[in-house]
Amino acid sequence: MINPEFLLSFLGASFLIAVAPGPSNAFLMAQTFANGRKAGMQSAFGFALGGVVHTFFAVVGLTAILKASTVAYTTVQYLGAAYLCYLGVMTLKDTFTQPEPDCEEKPHVSTSKKQNVMFQAMMTEVLNPKVALFFIAFIPQFVDPSLSSTTFQLAFFGLLYPLFAFPIDCTYIYFGDKIASYFREHPQTQIWIDRITGLVFIALAINLLI
């Protein structure tokens, strides 16, 4: 059983958190601008899978270790920053090694080498200790110890959040793709979009360390 009042409060708070601009939305929009709506959707799925992983960690208590251990937290933090920095550097590198686009062509997506965007988004989410602490600090507030198993309630709310946030991410993707469509009509601008995307990834890495 789930307390209905707690559920409504959870949905309201989750909506505000999901809508508010943040690192996840920045990653989402960067992929959508650089590689199109499909890449944006893959990113959204990746973030949802990352939320499932964090739910599992919260339920089994691994997230509590991050909260209690400075070494563990710092290790995951630097791994996440290094991964984002790697994505940024590789994205920038591709823009300087790929051939200049043909002005007569109007590609719909970036000409850079495609990678597994869903996996990138999932790992970005999983290797963000701030997200892990969000799950262990935010979700337990809506657990009613007088009802069913607290473990069940943690799992329920933890899995509900990515499901609830996913359509909001899709809204970002839809409007982001509409905005980016103009730039895709001008092939020369695509390289600069890719370069900005690389800089966004590096900025996210720096933000993770702050």
Side-chain angles (χ1 to χ4, degrees), residues 2-83:
I2 299 295
N3 187 315
E5 294 182 1
F6 284 15
L7 177 59
L8 289 176
S9 297
F10 174 81
L11 294 176
S14 297
F15 175 79
L16 294 176
I17 293 171
V19 170
S24 297
N25 291 333
F27 183 99
L28 195 72
M29 295 299 286
Q31 287 288 2
T32 302
F33 268 68
N35 298 315
R37 187 182 302 181
K38 182 177 179 180
M41 292 299 297
Q42 290 176 340
S43 298
F45 277 115
F47 285 131
L49 290 175
V52 172
V53 173
H54 277 298
T55 298
F56 172 77
F57 287 167
V59 170
V60 300
L62 293 179
T63 304
I65 297 176
L66 284 179
K67 186 177 181 180
S69 172
T70 303
V71 174
Y73 181 93
T74 303
T75 299
V76 174
Q77 186 180 36
Y78 276 92
L79 284 174
Y83 184 71

Side-chain angles (χ1 to χ4, degrees), residues 21-209:
S24 297
N25 291 333
F27 183 99
L28 195 72
M29 295 299 286
Q31 287 288 2
T32 302
F33 268 68
N35 298 315
R37 187 182 302 181
K38 182 177 179 180
M41 292 299 297
Q42 290 176 340
S43 298
F45 277 115
F47 285 131
L49 290 175
V52 172
V53 173
H54 277 298
T55 298
F56 172 77
F57 287 167
V59 170
V60 300
L62 293 179
T63 304
I65 297 176
L66 284 179
K67 186 177 181 180
S69 172
T70 303
V71 174
Y73 181 93
T74 303
T75 299
V76 174
Q77 186 180 36
Y78 276 92
L79 284 174
Y83 184 71
L84 280 168
C85 190
Y86 166 78
L87 294 181
V89 170
M90 294 305 295
T91 301
L92 288 172
K93 178 184 175 183
D94 286 344
T95 67
F96 290 101
T97 58
Q98 66 186 16
E100 290 293 326
D102 188 345
C103 292
E104 296 181 357
E105 295 180 356
K106 295 181 179 180
H108 178 68
V109 296
S110 169
T111 55
S112 62
K113 182 175 65 175
K114 300 296 183 295
Q115 300 178 8
N116 193 330
V117 178
M118 183 184 300
F119 178 78
Q120 292 176 1
M122 184 185 73
M123 291 305 298
T124 299
E125 191 84 340
V126 170
L127 292 176
N128 189 340
K130 295 179 181 179
V131 176
L133 295 185
F134 162 79
F135 271 79
I136 199 173
F138 173 70
I139 292 176
Q141 298 180 47
F142 304 95
V143 172
D144 188 344
S146 66
L147 297 178
S148 57
S149 167
T150 56
T151 300
F152 168 79
Q153 292 183 71
L154 282 173
F156 175 84
F157 286 116
L159 295 175
L160 181 61
Y161 179 78
L163 290 175
F164 184 73
F166 181 78
I168 296 175
D169 288 343
C170 290
T171 303
Y172 269 96
I173 294 166
Y174 175 80
F175 287 105
D177 188 61
K178 289 293 184 182
I179 296 171
S181 63
Y182 167 79
F183 296 100
R184 298 195 192 105
E185 295 295 325
H186 302 77
Q188 292 292 340
T189 65
Q190 186 61 59
I191 290 178
W192 289 103
I193 292 176
D194 290 343
R195 288 173 182 172
I196 292 173
T197 299
L199 292 176
V200 168
F201 290 157
I202 294 173
L204 291 175
I206 295 173
N207 178 74
L208 186 60
L209 295 176

